[in-house]
Amino acid sequence: LSIHVTHALERAKLEGFKVDGSMLEQARAHLRDIERHIPADYPDDVRRAIRAYALYVLATGGSPDVRKAHKLIDEVALDKHPLEVVAWLLPTFAGDGDSKKTVASIHKLLRSKVSETAAAAHFTTSYTDGAHLLLHSDRRVDAVLLEGLIASDPKSDLIPKLVKGLLDHRRAGRWESTQENGFALVGLDRYF
């Protein structure tokens, strides 16, 4: 919950809303030390996803921690991470010139995991256990990957296909959950 709140504050600040600086710095400090706040009984892949989300929010606010992102991504083989972890870390790596090999490896992984038609694309992801702890959603992963691809490879042919895929998954003008709505709108805003 703290990561979601901090993310909302960072997005509000980026959009020009007045955000209490002291409150935001306390929230950022909490995220920089997120490992201490995750319940010990959470599965390892869920713990990594929470850590990755915290790093994504820090990068969104202009304070990327590339060292921690590399440490996290190196804990298991790249293709063993849920795509959500990769999606949240991609913007951090994209902004770092020394992470070009990591970005290239992520792009290669994404090409192998995408479900693509002539017009649209999406990713299907899963967790072995604990998806409910993260409010997991494939559309959220698509939206975060859209944002990461825009940052890391703005000419990628996957970008307009992900946009089309996100738009096609709406029902009655919205997606299936607040998580999907929020992240899809953030990703689409970045695109447009």
Side-chain angles (χ1 to χ4, degrees):
L1 181 59
S2 298
I3 302 171
H4 287 309
V5 170
T6 309
H7 188 207
L9 292 171
E10 293 289 10
R11 293 291 177 180
K13 185 175 181 193
L14 287 171
E15 293 297 323
F17 290 93
K18 187 176 181 201
V19 175
D20 181 278
S22 173
M23 178 180 57
L24 184 56
E25 188 46 47
Q26 285 179 338
R28 288 174 178 159
H30 182 83
L31 267 55
R32 285 190 289 270
D33 194 29
I34 196 66
E35 297 84 358
R36 289 187 38 218
H37 305 289
I38 304 170
D41 61 339
Y42 279 22
D44 288 339
D45 58 347
V46 170
R47 293 175 62 81
R48 282 192 288 275
I50 292 169
R51 291 167 48 211
Y53 183 24
L55 289 167
Y56 165 84
V57 172
L58 290 169
T60 298
S63 303
D65 190 333
V66 178
R67 183 191 59 77
K68 263 191 175 179
H70 276 288
K71 184 178 175 192
L72 174 57
I73 205 83
D74 291 342
E75 286 180 8
V76 296
L78 184 61
D79 64 341
K80 300 297 181 204
H81 284 287
L83 276 183
E84 193 161 41
V85 170
V86 175
W88 276 324
L89 294 176
L90 183 54
T92 297
F93 295 134
D96 179 56
D98 293 333
S99 298
K100 289 180 181 175
K101 279 185 166 181
T102 303
V103 170
S105 295
I106 290 172
H107 288 168
K108 183 177 178 183
L109 174 71
L110 295 179
R111 286 284 179 199
S112 73
K113 300 282 186 183
V114 68
S115 294
E116 193 171 7
T117 66
H122 69 91
F123 293 90
T124 303
T125 61
S126 65
Y127 287 86
T128 54
D129 187 25
H132 66 284
L133 299 169
L134 299 168
L135 305 173
H136 173 70
S137 154
D138 285 342
R139 297 301 74 74
R140 179 173 73 183
V141 173
D142 289 348
V144 177
L145 281 170
L146 171 64
E147 191 177 7
L149 283 170
I150 291 169
S152 65
D153 186 11
K155 295 180 191 255
S156 171
D157 62 335
L158 277 181
I159 292 172
K161 289 181 174 190
L162 280 172
V163 168
K164 175 93 169 93
L166 280 170
L167 293 173
D168 286 350
H169 277 93
R170 290 178 299 166
R171 298 292 174 257
R174 64 176 182 80
W175 292 271
E176 288 188 27
S177 69
T178 56
Q179 286 293 305
E180 288 185 2
N181 285 328
F183 280 90
L185 291 173
V186 166
L188 292 170
D189 180 61
R190 175 72 194 260
Y191 175 75
F192 288 109

